[in-house]
Amino acid sequence: MIQDKPEPQDSSHRIATSDDIEVSTYLEIAKELGGEQPSPRSEVLPGAERETIVVIDFGSQYSLLIARRIRECQVYCELVSHDTPWEKIIPLNPKGFILSGGPASVYEDGAPMAPAYIYEKNLPVLGICYGMQVITHQLGGKVTPAAKREYGHAILHTSNVDSPLFADLDTSAPVWMSHGDQIEEMPPGFTSLAYTETSPFAVMGNDRNIFGLQFHPEVVHTPQGKTILKNFAHRICGCRGNWTMGSFVKDSLVRIKKQVGTGKVINALSGGVDSAVVASLIHHAIGDQLTCIFVNNGLLRREEAERTLNVFRRNLGMNTTYVDASQRFLERLKEVTDPEAKRKAIGEEFIKVFEEEAGKIGRVDFLAQGTLYPDVIESASSGSKAAAKIKTHHNVGGLPARMTLKLIEPLRYLFKDEVRQVGLELGLPEEMIWRQPFPGPGLAIRIIGEVTREKLEILRSADWIVMNEIKKAQLYRQLWQSFAILTDVKSVGVMGDYRTYGYLVAIRAVTSEDAMTADWSRLPYDLLARISNRIVNEVAGVNRVVYDITSKPPSTIEWE
Ligand code: XMP
C-alpha cells in the first residue's frame, strides 16, 4: 500500500526523473539552482582504453543516428559541431572522423567546411553525403548541382571488392540516397570504389584512408549500412570495440564514488527507465547516501505508483520518499484547457512539491538527473540556433535559487537503448527496462480539455485495456508508445435498446527510433477490434473508439 508520508525509518529520500520529466525538468532545476555541470567527457572510458570515432556535424537530421550506429558496433562515438577546435577533440582519443551530411551546398558562400585537422592528423575520414562533398571540395575535386534531386532507393555496385570498407558486404546492395548536389570530379588521388545507376562515384577513397559515401549508411533503408560503418570503425580506424555497457557500469561506479565522496544525492523517481537506471547506478555506487523522491501527481496510469514504489522500496531497498500530491495537481489543473498551460501548471506544481520534500531531507549536495545524450546534443544545438519550440517539454516555471546543488548525470553520454542495456546489467526488472516512454505531464496531455477526476478514471480504464491487449499480442516492446486518448468529443451510440451519448476514445500506437519522427503502427485489425470492443463494453461513458493513422510529422505523438 502506498503511504502518503515517508515511513519513520526513512531517513533519506530519493528523486529520480521520469523518462521525460527528468531529462528536461531537473536539468533546468539544477541550472536554476546554480548547479554545476560535471565534465564527464574524458571519463567515459578510462585512459588508454578510450577509443572514439568523432562525428563532425554539418546539421543533417541523421547525424545523431550515425553516432548511434557506431556505438552499436561497440565503439564509443561523439557528435561535435564542425567548428570544434582540435584542443577539444584531443581528450576523446579520436581514432577516426566521420563527416556528417547536411543541408548546405559546398559552393554556397559560408557553407560549413571541415576543420584543417581532419586532413592533417593522418586519421581515417569517412564523409557521408554532404561530408563527401566537403572532402571533394576541400581536396580539389568538383561538386555541382544535380539536374534532379536524388531521393530514395538505389543499388550500390562495388567496383573495388578488396576495399576493407566493403568486407562482408554483398557486391550489390540497396542503399538510400538523399542529395541535391553530386560529385562531378573526384579530388586528385581518389578512385571510385562503387557506383549506382546515377552516381559513378557513389563511394570514393584514397590511399590515406579518406573515404566518401554519396548515400546514407546510417538509415534503416540502407540495410547493410551498419556493416560499412563497422568496417570503417574496426578495420580502417582499428578500434577494438571495447565500448560495452559492462565497461560503462564499472567505470561509472568508480566515477560516481569519486564525484560524490561523502556527499548526499537526491533523485526524482518517475517509474520511467531513465530515472530507474540513474537511481540504481548511483545506489550501487554510494548506497544510502542516495535518497529518491517519488511524487505522485495523480496523472499516472493505473497501478503505476504502487508498482514503482514497490520496486524501489522493496526490491531494490532504496531510500524512497513517496508523496501523494494528486489532489494538489488536480486543483491546480481546474479549468485549464490549453496544452501549454497544462504543462506549465504541472511543472510549477511539481517543483513546489519537490522543493518541499527536498527541504525535509536535510543536507543535500547533488541532484541526480537522467539526461541522455540526445538531450545534451539538442540543448547544445538549440543554444546556437534558437530552435523553434513546438511543445514545451520542460515543465519548469520560475524556481527560487535557494539551494546549491551540483548536478550528477551518469547517463549523459548514452542513448536510450544503451540505458536499457545498463539497466539489464544492473539487474533492474525487465518490466521497468522495457517500459514505453511516458510524458512528465502524464495523462493530463492525453485528456483533451479540462482534466477532471472522472475523466482520469475513464482514461485509466481505457489505457489499461490498450496496454494489456498490446502486451498480450506481444507488441509492447516493438512499439515506441501505445496508449489511449480521451477526446472532448461526444457522440451518439446505441447499446441494447438504449441510445447512448458518450466519449470518443482515440488509440495511438507508433513506431519510432527517437521520437523525433514516428510512424503509426499497422496494428492487426483483430487486435484493434478487441481493444475497441473491450473499451466500449468495459469503460462506462465511452461509446466510440477510433485509431489515429497519422505519422509524425505532420502530427506529434501526443495529442497535446
Ligand atoms: P511529441 O508529442 O512531441 O512527443 O511527438 C515526443 C515524445 O516526448 C514525449 N512528450 C513529453 N515528455 N513532457 C515530457 O516529459 C512533455 O511535456 C512531453 N510531451 C511529449 C512523448 O510522450 C513522446 O515520447
Side-chain angles (χ1 to χ4, degrees):
M1 227 191 95
I2 294 183
Q3 291 158 349
D4 282 1
K5 298 247 161 60
E7 288 159 347
Q9 67 267 31
D10 244 358
S11 57
S12 47
H13 334 263
R14 299 187 150 176
I15 292 176
T17 54
S18 77
D19 260 15
D20 296 304
I21 244 186
E22 63 196 354
V23 164
S24 43
T25 309
Y26 292 104
L27 180 60
E28 293 302 312
I29 292 178
K31 273 189 201 147
E32 295 261 356
L33 292 172
E36 280 172 21
Q37 295 279 346
S39 53
R41 165 174 287 190
S42 57
E43 296 165 21
V44 168
L45 273 181
E49 297 204 7
R50 198 185 322 122
E51 292 178 334
T52 312
I53 301 281
V54 176
V55 178
I56 305 287
D57 185 19
F58 289 110
S60 158
Q61 55 173 322
Y62 302 129
S63 297
L64 205 55
L65 202 51
I66 302 173
R68 194 170 144 172
R69 294 280 177 260
I70 295 288
R71 299 253 194 115
E72 285 169 9
C73 306
Q74 270 78 53
V75 174
Y76 185 64
C77 185
E78 276 198 29
L79 183 68
V80 303
S81 168
H82 58 85
D83 51 9
T84 306
W86 176 241
E87 299 73 63
K88 290 208 169 156
I89 304 285
I90 298 171
L92 295 174
N93 189 21
K95 293 288 173 195
F97 294 103
I98 295 181
L99 311 185
S100 85
S105 283
V106 288
Y107 43 78
E108 278 170 1
D109 279 352
M113 289 291 133
Y117 58 77
I118 294 291
Y119 307 109
E120 288 168 355
K121 300 292 172 190
N122 272 328
L123 289 169
V125 182
L126 178 70
I128 295 175
C129 200
Y130 179 76
M132 178 197 208
Q133 291 154 15
V134 165
I135 292 172
T136 306
H137 188 72
Q138 288 185 299
L139 298 185
K142 196 167 173 200
V143 180
T144 52
K148 196 169 143 249
R149 181 176 177 81
E150 188 179 11
Y151 184 82
H153 292 283
I155 299 293
L156 182 79
H157 304 281
T158 49
S159 35
N160 181 345
V161 288
D162 295 331
S163 170
L165 204 56
F166 299 145
D168 305 324
L169 196 81
D170 296 341
T171 47
S172 296
V175 295
W176 181 258
M177 295 282 191
S178 173
H179 61 107
D181 292 342
Q182 62 184 14
I183 313 294
E184 197 176 297
E185 249 174 56
M186 291 183 293
F190 279 76
T191 53
S192 167
L193 305 177
Y195 61 93
T196 67
E197 201 181 319
T198 49
S199 294
F201 316 122
V203 181
M204 67 177 193
N206 71 1
D207 57 8
R208 288 185 48 209
N209 278 333
I210 302 182
F211 298 91
L213 307 178
Q214 184 62 84
F215 57 90
H216 288 273
E218 69 277 21
V219 302
V220 284
H221 312 294
T222 303
Q224 296 184 50
K226 202 170 134 187
T227 307
I228 298 177
L229 292 172
K230 188 173 177 188
N231 287 337
F232 178 71
H234 288 235
R235 293 172 190 265
I236 294 170
C237 300
C239 295
R240 290 164 294 172
N242 56 4
W243 172 248
T244 63
M245 290 308 106
S247 68
F248 172 82
V249 170
K250 235 168 69 193
D251 181 50
S252 297
L253 296 183
V254 177
R255 183 155 34 95
I256 292 167
K257 264 193 197 144
K258 200 169 132 205
Q259 192 184 348
V260 174
T262 55
K264 297 259 185 198
V265 183
I266 50 168
N267 182 34
L269 282 182
S270 69
V273 60
D274 302 343
S275 67
V277 172
V278 168
S280 173
L281 197 55
I282 298 179
H283 188 244
H284 272 79
I286 58 160
D288 277 355
Q289 283 165 261
L290 169 70
T291 299
C292 291
I293 298 175
F294 176 34
V295 177
N296 182 350
N297 58 10
L299 306 166
L300 302 175
R301 293 171 157 186
R302 185 178 287 174
E303 288 186 8
E304 200 157 16
E306 291 88 336
R307 279 166 195 252
T308 305
L309 202 58
N310 217 11
V311 168
F312 285 94
R313 270 199 187 153
R314 294 238 166 86
N315 300 11
L316 303 175
M318 294 190 196
N319 287 325
T320 309
T321 298
Y322 173 76
V323 198
D324 185 354
S326 327
Q327 191 54 36
R328 280 175 71 160
F329 279 86
L330 253 188
E331 267 159 32
R332 183 74 194 258
L333 284 169
K334 240 181 213 152
E335 290 173 25
V336 181
T337 53
D338 175 71
E340 286 298 279
K342 282 184 189 173
R343 281 190 171 83
K344 191 158 181 276
I346 294 165
E348 285 173 358
E349 203 55 37
F350 182 85
I351 286 163
K352 274 195 205 153
V353 179
F354 180 91
E355 265 208 311
E356 285 171 20
E357 292 307 315
K360 294 178 194 163
I361 293 174
R363 188 190 119 202
V364 177
D365 310 280
F366 294 90
L367 175 69
Q369 185 167 289
T371 311
L372 305 194
Y373 195 47
D375 308 303
V376 174
I377 295 297
E378 197 182 317
S379 56
S381 62
S382 62
S384 56
K385 282 184 216 135
K389 194 166 270 180
I390 296 169
K391 286 181 188 176
T392 311
H393 287 193
H394 301 236
N395 310 313
V396 184
L399 194 72
R402 281 200 283 275
M403 301 151 78
T404 39
L405 292 179
K406 290 179 206 131
L407 196 57
I408 176 164
E409 298 176 298
L411 311 180
R412 196 175 156 79
Y413 285 89
L414 297 192
F415 287 104
K416 188 94 179 178
D417 43 351
E418 293 174 321
V419 172
R420 290 197 159 114
Q421 285 171 42
V422 171
L424 286 171
E425 289 276 339
L426 294 169
L428 283 175
E430 295 246 332
E431 185 197 312
M432 195 156 258
I433 286 174
W434 296 106
R435 183 180 177 275
Q436 292 175 353
F438 186 67
L443 300 181
I445 56 165
R446 294 178 182 172
I447 290 174
I448 311 302
E450 190 184 1
V451 179
T452 63
R453 204 174 281 282
E454 181 221 358
K455 285 184 185 169
L456 277 166
E457 265 325 299
I458 294 178
L459 182 56
R460 273 194 192 108
S461 304
D463 184 70
W464 182 256
I465 293 170
V466 175
M467 176 130 76
N468 281 324
E469 288 298 333
I470 295 276
K471 281 188 175 169
K472 255 200 271 168
Q474 305 203 316
L475 291 171
Y476 184 77
R477 280 198 201 177
Q478 289 168 41
L479 296 170
W480 175 264
Q481 278 171 295
S482 45
F483 55 90
I485 299 111
L486 181 62
T487 73
D488 59 351
V489 172
K490 280 192 157 185
S491 71
V492 173
V494 55
M495 229 177 219
D497 293 333
Y498 295 97
R499 174 188 186 276
T500 59
Y501 189 56
Y503 280 114
L504 171 71
V505 160
I507 309 299
R508 185 82 163 131
V510 295
T511 50
S512 175
E513 285 227 359
D514 50 14
M516 300 292 284
T517 61
D519 197 8
W520 62 278
S521 170
R522 274 56 168 173
L523 292 183
Y525 282 167
D526 20 348
L527 171 61
L528 287 169
R530 259 195 317 277
I531 291 174
S532 163
N533 282 342
R534 282 195 59 192
I535 290 177
V536 289
N537 284 321
E538 296 173 30
V539 185
V542 178
N543 67 355
R544 197 177 291 268
V545 175
V546 294
Y547 187 47
D548 181 348
I549 53 165
T550 25
S551 58
K552 172 185 179 177
S555 287
T556 52
I557 297 175
E558 304 290 346
W559 272 35
E560 285 200 336

Short mmCIF file of all heavy atoms in Angstrom, two decimals, residues 2-36:
data_model
loop_
_atom_site.label_atom_id
_atom_site.label_comp_id
_atom_site.label_asym_id
_atom_site.label_seq_id
_atom_site.Cartn_x
_atom_site.Cartn_y
_atom_site.Cartn_z
N ILE A 2 0.41 2.24 -0.68
CA ILE A 2 1.20 3.47 -0.74
C ILE A 2 0.91 4.34 0.47
O ILE A 2 -0.23 4.47 0.88
CB ILE A 2 0.85 4.24 -2.01
CG1 ILE A 2 1.33 3.43 -3.19
CG2 ILE A 2 1.48 5.60 -2.01
CD1 ILE A 2 1.11 4.09 -4.47
N GLN A 3 1.92 4.90 1.01
CA GLN A 3 1.71 5.79 2.15
C GLN A 3 2.00 7.21 1.73
O GLN A 3 2.90 7.47 0.94
CB GLN A 3 2.67 5.40 3.27
CG GLN A 3 2.27 4.06 3.86
CD GLN A 3 3.43 3.40 4.57
OE1 GLN A 3 4.56 3.85 4.45
NE2 GLN A 3 3.12 2.38 5.30
N ASP A 4 1.23 8.08 2.30
CA ASP A 4 1.40 9.48 1.95
C ASP A 4 2.69 10.05 2.50
O ASP A 4 3.30 10.92 1.94
CB ASP A 4 0.25 10.31 2.51
CG ASP A 4 -0.97 10.13 1.65
OD1 ASP A 4 -0.88 9.38 0.67
OD2 ASP A 4 -1.98 10.73 1.95
N LYS A 5 3.06 9.56 3.64
CA LYS A 5 4.23 10.11 4.32
C LYS A 5 5.34 9.09 4.29
O LYS A 5 5.10 7.89 4.30
CB LYS A 5 3.88 10.38 5.78
CG LYS A 5 2.77 11.39 5.94
CD LYS A 5 3.33 12.66 6.58
CE LYS A 5 2.47 13.85 6.38
NZ LYS A 5 1.14 13.71 6.92
N PRO A 6 6.58 9.54 4.31
CA PRO A 6 7.67 8.58 4.38
C PRO A 6 7.59 7.77 5.66
O PRO A 6 7.16 8.29 6.69
CB PRO A 6 8.92 9.45 4.36
CG PRO A 6 8.47 10.84 4.55
CD PRO A 6 7.04 10.91 4.24
N GLU A 7 7.97 6.52 5.57
CA GLU A 7 7.98 5.72 6.79
C GLU A 7 9.01 6.31 7.74
O GLU A 7 10.02 6.86 7.30
CB GLU A 7 8.36 4.28 6.44
CG GLU A 7 7.22 3.60 5.72
CD GLU A 7 7.68 2.41 4.93
OE1 GLU A 7 8.90 2.25 4.72
OE2 GLU A 7 6.83 1.65 4.51
N PRO A 8 8.79 6.13 9.05
CA PRO A 8 9.66 6.79 10.01
C PRO A 8 11.13 6.41 9.83
O PRO A 8 12.00 7.25 9.98
CB PRO A 8 9.14 6.30 11.37
CG PRO A 8 7.83 5.64 11.11
CD PRO A 8 7.69 5.41 9.67
N GLN A 9 11.37 5.12 9.48
CA GLN A 9 12.77 4.74 9.36
C GLN A 9 13.44 5.31 8.11
O GLN A 9 14.62 5.19 7.92
CB GLN A 9 12.93 3.20 9.38
CG GLN A 9 12.34 2.51 8.16
CD GLN A 9 10.90 2.07 8.42
OE1 GLN A 9 10.17 2.71 9.17
NE2 GLN A 9 10.49 0.98 7.81
N ASP A 10 12.61 5.93 7.25
CA ASP A 10 13.14 6.50 6.02
C ASP A 10 13.88 7.79 6.32
O ASP A 10 13.31 8.86 6.24
CB ASP A 10 11.97 6.85 5.09
CG ASP A 10 12.02 6.02 3.84
OD1 ASP A 10 12.95 5.22 3.69
OD2 ASP A 10 11.12 6.20 3.05
N SER A 11 15.12 7.69 6.61
CA SER A 11 15.81 8.91 6.96
C SER A 11 16.24 9.66 5.71
O SER A 11 16.59 10.82 5.74
CB SER A 11 17.02 8.59 7.81
OG SER A 11 17.83 7.69 7.08
N SER A 12 16.26 8.99 4.59
CA SER A 12 16.64 9.70 3.38
C SER A 12 15.59 9.46 2.32
O SER A 12 14.73 8.63 2.46
CB SER A 12 17.98 9.18 2.90
OG SER A 12 17.96 7.80 2.91
N HIS A 13 15.66 10.20 1.26
CA HIS A 13 14.68 10.05 0.18
C HIS A 13 15.39 10.23 -1.14
O HIS A 13 16.44 10.76 -1.21
CB HIS A 13 13.60 11.12 0.27
CG HIS A 13 13.40 11.65 1.63
ND1 HIS A 13 12.43 11.21 2.45
CD2 HIS A 13 14.10 12.57 2.30
CE1 HIS A 13 12.52 11.85 3.59
NE2 HIS A 13 13.54 12.68 3.51
N ARG A 14 14.74 9.81 -2.18
CA ARG A 14 15.36 10.00 -3.47
C ARG A 14 14.39 10.52 -4.47
O ARG A 14 13.25 10.15 -4.42
CB ARG A 14 15.66 8.70 -4.16
CG ARG A 14 16.49 7.85 -3.56
CD ARG A 14 16.70 6.82 -4.52
NE ARG A 14 18.00 6.40 -4.20
CZ ARG A 14 18.59 5.45 -4.73
NH1 ARG A 14 18.04 4.85 -5.67
NH2 ARG A 14 19.74 5.13 -4.40
N ILE A 15 14.95 11.11 -5.45
CA ILE A 15 14.14 11.57 -6.54
C ILE A 15 14.80 11.13 -7.81
O ILE A 15 15.96 11.34 -7.99
CB ILE A 15 14.12 13.07 -6.58
CG1 ILE A 15 13.39 13.51 -5.37
CG2 ILE A 15 13.49 13.57 -7.81
CD1 ILE A 15 13.39 14.94 -5.25
N ALA A 16 14.06 10.51 -8.66
CA ALA A 16 14.62 10.30 -9.99
C ALA A 16 13.68 10.99 -10.91
O ALA A 16 12.60 11.37 -10.52
CB ALA A 16 14.67 8.84 -10.33
N THR A 17 14.07 11.18 -12.12
CA THR A 17 13.26 11.90 -13.04
C THR A 17 12.46 10.93 -13.86
O THR A 17 12.90 9.82 -14.06
CB THR A 17 14.19 12.61 -13.94
OG1 THR A 17 15.01 11.60 -14.43
CG2 THR A 17 15.00 13.57 -13.19
N SER A 18 11.32 11.35 -14.32
CA SER A 18 10.56 10.46 -15.19
C SER A 18 11.27 10.47 -16.51
O SER A 18 12.08 11.32 -16.76
CB SER A 18 9.16 11.00 -15.41
OG SER A 18 9.21 12.02 -16.34
N ASP A 19 10.92 9.53 -17.31
CA ASP A 19 11.59 9.41 -18.59
C ASP A 19 11.85 10.75 -19.18
O ASP A 19 12.92 11.07 -19.64
CB ASP A 19 10.68 8.67 -19.57
CG ASP A 19 11.10 7.25 -19.66
OD1 ASP A 19 11.86 6.84 -18.78
OD2 ASP A 19 10.66 6.58 -20.58
N ASP A 20 10.81 11.52 -19.18
CA ASP A 20 10.96 12.78 -19.87
C ASP A 20 11.11 13.91 -18.89
O ASP A 20 11.86 14.83 -19.10
CB ASP A 20 9.75 13.00 -20.76
CG ASP A 20 9.72 11.94 -21.82
OD1 ASP A 20 10.70 11.81 -22.54
OD2 ASP A 20 8.73 11.24 -21.91
N ILE A 21 10.38 13.79 -17.82
CA ILE A 21 10.45 14.84 -16.82
C ILE A 21 11.88 15.04 -16.41
O ILE A 21 12.38 16.12 -16.36
CB ILE A 21 9.62 14.44 -15.59
CG1 ILE A 21 8.48 15.41 -15.44
CG2 ILE A 21 10.42 14.52 -14.32
CD1 ILE A 21 7.70 15.21 -14.22
N GLU A 22 12.55 13.93 -16.13
CA GLU A 22 13.88 14.09 -15.58
C GLU A 22 14.79 14.76 -16.57
O GLU A 22 15.57 15.62 -16.20
CB GLU A 22 14.47 12.74 -15.21
CG GLU A 22 14.68 11.83 -16.38
CD GLU A 22 14.91 10.40 -15.93
OE1 GLU A 22 15.01 10.17 -14.72
OE2 GLU A 22 14.97 9.55 -16.78
N VAL A 23 14.66 14.33 -17.79
CA VAL A 23 15.57 14.82 -18.80
C VAL A 23 15.53 16.32 -18.86
O VAL A 23 16.55 16.98 -18.87
CB VAL A 23 15.19 14.23 -20.16
CG1 VAL A 23 15.84 14.98 -21.27
CG2 VAL A 23 15.57 12.78 -20.18
N SER A 24 14.34 16.85 -18.89
CA SER A 24 14.28 18.28 -19.06
C SER A 24 14.16 19.00 -17.73
O SER A 24 14.93 19.89 -17.42
CB SER A 24 13.13 18.64 -19.97
OG SER A 24 12.00 17.89 -19.64
N THR A 25 13.22 18.54 -16.91
CA THR A 25 12.92 19.31 -15.72
C THR A 25 14.11 19.50 -14.81
O THR A 25 14.44 20.60 -14.42
CB THR A 25 11.81 18.64 -14.92
OG1 THR A 25 10.76 18.38 -15.81
CG2 THR A 25 11.35 19.53 -13.80
N TYR A 26 14.76 18.41 -14.47
CA TYR A 26 15.80 18.54 -13.46
C TYR A 26 17.03 19.23 -13.96
O TYR A 26 17.75 19.86 -13.21
CB TYR A 26 16.11 17.17 -12.86
CG TYR A 26 14.93 16.74 -12.08
CD1 TYR A 26 14.06 15.80 -12.57
CD2 TYR A 26 14.62 17.41 -10.91
CE1 TYR A 26 12.93 15.47 -11.87
CE2 TYR A 26 13.48 17.09 -10.22
CZ TYR A 26 12.64 16.12 -10.70
OH TYR A 26 11.52 15.80 -10.03
N LEU A 27 17.25 19.07 -15.24
CA LEU A 27 18.37 19.80 -15.81
C LEU A 27 18.12 21.28 -15.57
O LEU A 27 18.99 22.02 -15.12
CB LEU A 27 18.46 19.51 -17.30
CG LEU A 27 19.58 20.21 -18.03
CD1 LEU A 27 20.92 19.78 -17.44
CD2 LEU A 27 19.56 19.87 -19.49
N GLU A 28 16.89 21.65 -15.88
CA GLU A 28 16.54 23.05 -15.69
C GLU A 28 16.58 23.42 -14.22
O GLU A 28 17.06 24.48 -13.84
CB GLU A 28 15.13 23.30 -16.25
CG GLU A 28 15.05 23.15 -17.76
CD GLU A 28 16.01 24.08 -18.47
OE1 GLU A 28 16.03 25.26 -18.12
OE2 GLU A 28 16.77 23.62 -19.33
N ILE A 29 16.07 22.52 -13.39
CA ILE A 29 16.07 22.82 -11.96
C ILE A 29 17.50 23.08 -11.51
O ILE A 29 17.78 24.07 -10.86
CB ILE A 29 15.53 21.62 -11.13
CG1 ILE A 29 14.05 21.43 -11.40
CG2 ILE A 29 15.76 21.84 -9.64
CD1 ILE A 29 13.46 20.25 -10.67
N ALA A 30 18.38 22.16 -11.89
CA ALA A 30 19.74 22.28 -11.41
C ALA A 30 20.38 23.56 -11.92
O ALA A 30 21.11 24.23 -11.20
CB ALA A 30 20.55 21.08 -11.86
N LYS A 31 20.06 23.90 -13.17
CA LYS A 31 20.62 25.14 -13.71
C LYS A 31 20.11 26.31 -12.90
O LYS A 31 20.86 27.19 -12.50
CB LYS A 31 20.20 25.30 -15.17
CG LYS A 31 21.15 24.60 -16.11
CD LYS A 31 20.78 24.99 -17.53
CE LYS A 31 21.31 24.00 -18.53
NZ LYS A 31 20.43 23.86 -19.67
N GLU A 32 18.79 26.30 -12.69
CA GLU A 32 18.19 27.40 -11.94
C GLU A 32 18.78 27.47 -10.54
O GLU A 32 18.92 28.53 -9.97
CB GLU A 32 16.68 27.17 -11.83
CG GLU A 32 15.96 27.22 -13.15
CD GLU A 32 15.31 28.56 -13.38
OE1 GLU A 32 15.37 29.38 -12.46
OE2 GLU A 32 14.78 28.77 -14.46
N LEU A 33 19.09 26.30 -10.02
CA LEU A 33 19.61 26.26 -8.66
C LEU A 33 21.10 26.58 -8.61
O LEU A 33 21.72 26.52 -7.58
CB LEU A 33 19.40 24.88 -8.06
CG LEU A 33 17.95 24.49 -7.78
CD1 LEU A 33 17.87 23.04 -7.38
CD2 LEU A 33 17.34 25.35 -6.71
N GLY A 34 21.65 26.86 -9.76
CA GLY A 34 23.07 27.18 -9.80
C GLY A 34 23.93 25.93 -9.75
O GLY A 34 25.05 25.95 -9.31
N GLY A 35 23.36 24.80 -10.18
CA GLY A 35 24.10 23.54 -10.15
C GLY A 35 25.26 23.55 -11.11
O GLY A 35 25.28 24.29 -12.09
N GLU A 36 26.23 22.71 -10.83
CA GLU A 36 27.40 22.65 -11.69
C GLU A 36 27.26 21.51 -12.67
O GLU A 36 26.75 20.46 -12.34
CB GLU A 36 28.64 22.37 -10.85
CG GLU A 36 29.16 23.59 -10.17
CD GLU A 36 30.26 23.22 -9.20
OE1 GLU A 36 30.86 22.14 -9.33
OE2 GLU A 36 30.49 24.03 -8.29
#
